[in-house]
Amino acid sequence: MTIPVSTYRLQLHAGFGFRAAAALTDYLDALGVDAVYTSPYLHAERGSTHGYNVVDHGRLGPELGDEADYDAWTDGLRARGLGHVLDFVPNHVGIGSGENRRWNDVLESGQASPCDSWFDIEWAPPKLGMAGKVLLPILGRQFGEALEAGELKVVRDGGGFFVAYYERRLPVALKSLPLILRPALARLSLAADDPTLAELHSIVTALDHLPGEASTPPDARDERAREKDVIKRRLNALLAESGAIAAAVDATLQELAGTPGDPRSFDALETFLNEQVYRLSFWRVATEEINYRRFFDVNELAAIKMEDPAVFSAAHALVLRKIAEGRITGLRLDHTDGLYDPAAYFAALQAEARAHAPADTQPLYLVIEKILEPGEALPQHWEVDGTTGYDFLGAVNGLWIRPEAGPRLTRFYHRFIAAERDYEAIAHASRIAILRSSLSSELHMLAHRLERIAQTRRRSRDFTRVSLTGAIVETLAAFPVYRTYVRPDGSRTASDDAYIDLALRRARRRRPDVDASVFEFLRDLLMLHNLPEEPDERAAAVRFAMRFAQLTGPVIAKGVEDTALYRYNRLVCLNEVGCDPAAFGASVDEFHAHNQRQRRRFPRTMTTTATHDTKRGEDVRARLAVLSELPDEWRRAVSGWSRLARPHRTEVDEALAPSRNDAYLFYQTVVGALPLDQLGEGDAVPPAFVDRVAAYMEKATREAKERTSWIAGNPEYEAAVHKFVREMLAHPGFCGPAAALARKISTYGAVNGLAQVCLRLASPGVPDTYQGGELWDFSLVDPDNRRPVDYERRRQALADIHARASDPVARARELLANYLDGRIKLMVLHLGLQHRRQQRALYLEGSYVPLAAGRHVVAFRRAHGDQELVCVVPRLAYTLTGGRRPWPVGAAWGEQTLELDRAATWRDLFTGAEHRGEALPLAEVLSELPVSLLVRVA
């Protein structure tokens, strides 16, 4: 497979399908992109805006186009020599729309379904009455209330019967149909020798003899499925043939529906529903009792057993065929930490890719969505090319922060919100809160498994459920990484042992009331030590260890990414996936060390500064980082805005809304994302921006889960926040000063933005550009960052850049002078991408040598053969210039030089200017633009 030298991410959906993507191919090619990288496009649920809720891995998404559209698009990519990287979802499928035939079959046949092997269902959960059933938390209120309100019905479509809940349709167990057909028989007055009557009796008998869902052995499932299909065909034909029988059935269904106001009239319907292999429940019950593994806490996304060879084969058949055809040249794998055995999955996928494309001499390009915590390394034995780049984002993001401002900004934040907030404590509390709420069902199932294992051993049989649960909770909450990778056979790395031991030590300190022997018992299981000889007991221990490993990631993702990052608002540009909000800034040496490790270990990893999952756009972060260079001015601004805001806050639940913490987030959001080129007279904010901020604050406050949440919404608080946002963004006393501060830091934020584009382009790895990010990206968290992209504007901007190519210096000056339109960013990205495509080996294989040039410069050299490139970008530009110059160019650098190890002639990729020498004056290198990529020409 060809390794891409750069990628460009497109989000596909019904409004932007294969034809729309094809229409962009010429533009992306002209931009310099080497491979088009897309969101998932296998058949997802109707109306999916992201593609991660796949219902059928064997089909392309019908809302995106047909096979001809897909072929035309990928043929166009290949004709231009562009690769294609697909985002593939191996961990879960969508089950919320009724379109997933495998899930429907499980709902119809339970454990007897041949599709049961696809799903991770606990058929023997601890709750009484749930054996052999799947909990479906889809009701908007308590079951009894929904039932007696007439919201649940049994409906017929031809010969098919379904439980209907508003627009939802759920299949019914065939074993329950006699509860409908027998009363229907009693209504009939057909002649005794009527063949349709005989057929109905025969069908009822066949249903009575159909093996039960729980009593069908695995090797008889296919036979039962065939018998079931025969009965369904017979019933469908009979109801189509006999109007009398159809009428009797419909009359029975009408009676079964019950009468609101008469509770006893629903008894028969309740009996019928109790016969199903699923139990309908209020959606809030999911947090405690759901018994199928989910993607995080999303009930509509069911995890699948990709470790099962049959599941693996079926799920990858279409993708492997497209790989064999050369239409897909790489894969991005979603949420691989949810897989049973990630290393085994990667190896199996590479083996299948080789088998389907034997002529390829290189493995399939494979990057994985993996969040690495500080100090954590991706296992080098994995058959992958690296991650999707959040680790690079983390390494870059801290460069723009002035560490000395940390104490002052922290003190002011604490003073403003009137509370001392420690990020580590918030993160721990947030994990605990998630385990006790949205992931409590997973916790209960894990504790149930652990208790059963404990009861089989003499040294652990006295451990109580309370102590075992306490040990699990604290260990999960203390985990220092998203997961460890102990294999089912017990093999693991020293890092796995270290992380498990660290989590257990932390847990024991927090729970001195739990006997140490409980933690030792848990340690043995997590490391698969001292496994019993008895096969079933051994299997149970392995299942527990693997399920525990699959849960640590969701706890961190929901507890940290989706909770703590919205609670701790000291400086929110640090609150990003892959970053540590507790670390206030990073050194140049730390950045170089990261790049050197990547060059040595995973030189083809993806590098990114924006994705569909980042919390805010890359240029919002770049602008907000400048606040660390003028903390006193920020303090004065916020203090003034807070006084102005007093009349616009509302008392809710005996406290003012929004909270001061949420208001602090609002102020940063406005300053960071304010579209300075779209402000009206008197700095009036555009209505679209007001709507965006209001929507963002609603999501942010729900994610924080302090005054409102997704599970337990507080409409009064949300209304008060909404009012606050709209009133403040209509107040000249706020908008004027906020715009003034945003303008003051805007050029320095733009410098940071251009610098991180250059670093992404020149560092080891494969740089990805998120859709639309070739111009300034001032988006907020999704769905804001998935708004339609104006590609016509980008085409025109690129054409304008091309038209000015004859005088690159004049072009650079003009674009910098008009930086707000984003063309300067587009030019830097475009010229960098073009050079990468021309010099593939330099970027994919070249050496990496850091260059010392002082505190305010990040510089390094890449070399391969006779090709060399030097990247030079500034940092902390406001501090460098004292805020007296808008750009760190020319005389701003004084006598500082860039020291090289030998004299050579270098050409600036952006301006065409040439520089010669062993020590290059930065005032000359950065005379026109604040960033430079220098190519050696002699």
Side-chain angles (χ1 to χ4, degrees), residues 556-891:
I556 296 180
K558 297 304 296 181
V560 176
E561 292 176 36
D562 292 347
T563 304
L565 294 190
Y566 291 93
R567 291 183 175 182
Y568 184 75
N569 296 324
R570 175 180 59 174
L571 186 60
V572 296
C573 59
L574 298 173
N575 295 15
E576 193 51 86
V577 182
C579 299
D580 179 8
F584 201 86
S587 69
V588 175
D589 287 344
E590 288 173 312
F591 174 75
H592 287 317
H594 169 84
N595 274 352
Q596 288 171 316
R597 283 193 302 272
Q598 295 299 80
R599 164 69 185 83
R600 186 172 63 252
R601 294 169 58 87
F602 290 98
R604 299 177 299 199
T605 190
M606 198 173 270
T607 57
T608 190
T609 47
T611 76
H612 60 287
D613 278 335
T614 41
K615 301 301 180 184
R616 48 192 53 81
E618 60 190 12
D619 296 307
V620 176
R621 293 196 309 271
R623 185 191 287 178
L624 284 174
V626 183
L627 296 177
S628 70
E629 299 184 69
L630 55 164
D632 293 334
E633 186 155 348
W634 172 247
R635 173 182 54 79
R636 289 191 294 270
V638 171
S639 298
W641 296 337
S642 181
R643 289 190 293 271
L644 183 73
R646 287 171 186 165
H648 305 288
R649 298 172 74 201
T650 307
E651 185 172 317
V652 177
D653 299 329
E654 301 181 348
L656 290 178
S659 68
R660 293 180 70 85
N661 193 43
D662 289 339
Y664 201 70
L665 171 63
F666 165 77
Y667 298 138
Q668 291 182 72
T669 300
V670 172
V671 171
L674 195 65
L676 294 174
D677 58 336
Q678 298 173 25
L679 299 182
E681 186 176 350
D683 291 327
V685 174
F689 181 72
V690 178
D691 292 341
R692 289 174 54 212
V693 174
Y696 169 76
M697 289 301 297
E698 178 179 281
K699 177 170 181 173
T701 53
R702 288 179 178 179
E703 295 283 29
K705 306 170 188 67
E706 292 186 310
R707 299 283 298 275
T708 186
S709 71
W710 298 104
I711 293 176
N714 185 334
E716 292 80 11
Y717 184 80
E718 292 179 8
V721 173
H722 190 83
K723 170 179 172 289
F724 175 83
V725 168
R726 293 193 175 277
E727 291 180 359
M728 290 296 287
L729 289 177
H731 199 308
F734 171 69
C735 293
L741 180 57
R743 285 193 189 95
K744 180 169 185 175
I745 64 176
S746 176
T747 57
Y748 308 107
V751 170
N752 292 341
L754 295 175
Q756 65 188 9
V757 170
C758 288
L759 295 179
R760 191 170 82 235
L761 287 166
S763 292
V766 177
D768 176 55
T769 301
Y770 182 66
Q771 63 174 24
E774 57 268 43
L775 297 182
W776 299 125
D777 175 14
F778 291 112
S779 59
L780 302 170
V781 75
D782 74 281
D784 192 67
N785 64 5
R786 303 183 192 187
R787 288 170 294 147
V789 176
D790 185 352
Y791 280 109
E792 186 54 38
R793 177 188 171 198
R794 286 158 176 77
R795 283 182 184 275
Q796 292 174 4
L798 185 59
D800 178 69
I801 289 168
H802 286 165
R804 298 168 183 268
S806 61
D807 191 345
V809 172
R811 176 177 65 182
R813 290 172 179 168
E814 193 273 332
L815 296 185
L816 192 64
N818 295 281
Y819 76 99
L820 286 177
D821 64 22
R823 287 177 300 153
I824 184 65
K825 182 182 181 185
L826 175 61
M827 184 199 75
V828 168
L829 178 67
H830 164 57
L831 295 177
L833 290 177
Q834 277 194 327
H835 192 256
R836 286 187 67 92
R837 214 156 62 175
Q838 294 162 3
Q839 303 295 339
R840 304 178 70 91
L842 171 63
Y843 291 99
L844 293 178
E845 303 171 27
S847 61
Y848 182 94
V849 178
L851 300 174
R855 183 191 185 196
H856 289 283
V857 175
V858 183
F860 54 86
R861 183 174 65 239
R862 306 293 307 279
H864 184 271
D866 61 355
Q867 296 296 321
E868 283 191 62
L869 173 124
V870 169
C871 174
V872 186
V873 302
R875 63 188 292 261
L876 307 179
Y878 182 89
T879 303
L880 172 70
T881 63
R884 293 182 292 273
R885 297 169 178 264
W887 305 104
V889 295

Side-chain angles (χ1 to χ4, degrees), residues 10 12 73 133 168 304 341 347 372 419 454 529 554 560 564 578 581 593 602 652 683 718 872 931:
L10 291 176
L12 303 184
W73 168 51
K133 290 184 179 291
R168 296 285 294 265
I304 56 178
D341 185 354
L372 295 170
H529 283 167
V560 176
F602 290 98
V652 177
D683 291 327
E718 292 179 8
V872 186
V931 296

Side-chain angles (χ1 to χ4, degrees), residues 56-310:
D56 187 350
H57 289 86
R59 292 180 58 204
L60 298 174
E63 293 184 333
L64 305 179
D66 56 23
E67 285 277 355
D69 296 329
Y70 176 81
D71 288 350
W73 168 51
T74 51
D75 284 344
L77 293 177
R78 291 192 293 175
R80 291 177 177 270
L82 302 184
H84 169 40
V85 177
L86 169 66
D87 192 341
F88 182 77
V89 188
N91 177 71
H92 53 268
V93 292
I95 60 170
S97 66
E99 298 171 87
N100 191 316
R101 60 181 176 82
R102 292 186 174 94
W103 181 252
N104 287 342
D105 197 69
V106 171
L107 296 185
E108 184 177 77
S109 298
Q111 298 168 78
S113 169
C115 300
D116 175 46
S117 61
W118 275 72
F119 301 98
D120 224 342
I121 300 171
E122 178 59 73
W123 289 109
K127 186 173 179 64
L128 292 175
M130 279 295 295
K133 290 184 179 291
V134 180
L135 185 77
L136 293 186
I138 66 172
L139 304 181
R141 48 178 160 172
Q142 299 288 344
F143 170 76
E145 295 175 5
L147 179 74
E148 293 177 8
E151 295 171 1
L152 294 164
K153 302 181 185 300
V154 180
V155 299
R156 179 175 70 87
D157 182 4
F161 292 81
F162 303 89
V163 173
Y165 178 65
Y166 294 107
E167 73 280 358
R168 296 285 294 265
R169 295 290 184 272
L170 302 170
V172 304
L174 262 66
K175 292 287 289 182
S176 68
L177 286 182
L179 293 176
I180 295 172
L181 300 182
R182 282 199 173 91
L185 274 168
R187 293 174 182 274
L188 292 170
S189 57
L190 297 173
D193 60 351
D194 189 301
T196 59
L197 182 62
E199 174 65 357
L200 182 55
H201 277 292
S202 176
I203 289 172
V204 171
T205 301
L207 288 169
D208 288 338
H209 288 87
L210 188 69
E213 292 85 4
S215 60
T216 303
D219 57 359
R221 290 177 179 177
D222 290 339
E223 181 181 350
R224 184 188 187 276
R226 287 191 295 270
E227 292 179 16
K228 181 191 71 173
D229 289 341
V230 169
I231 294 172
K232 290 168 72 173
R233 286 196 298 270
R234 290 173 63 192
L235 184 57
N236 187 66
L238 177 63
L239 291 174
E241 176 186 354
S242 173
I245 293 177
V249 167
D250 290 342
T252 301
L253 294 179
Q254 183 62 39
E255 183 177 354
L256 189 66
T259 303
D262 181 4
R264 295 300 302 272
S265 68
F266 292 95
D267 290 354
L269 178 55
E270 182 179 9
T271 298
F272 181 84
L273 294 175
N274 288 340
E275 290 299 308
Q276 306 311 310
V277 296
Y278 48 83
R279 192 194 111 195
L280 300 176
S281 70
F282 185 27
W283 65 269
R284 289 181 184 270
V285 174
T287 62
E288 298 181 14
E289 296 180 359
I290 203 163
N291 62 327
Y292 59 88
R293 190 166 64 88
R294 304 169 290 175
F295 169 70
F296 294 170
D297 59 351
V298 184
N299 299 336
E300 292 78 21
L301 295 176
I304 56 178
K305 295 180 179 177
M306 195 55 79
E307 66 273 16
D308 185 301

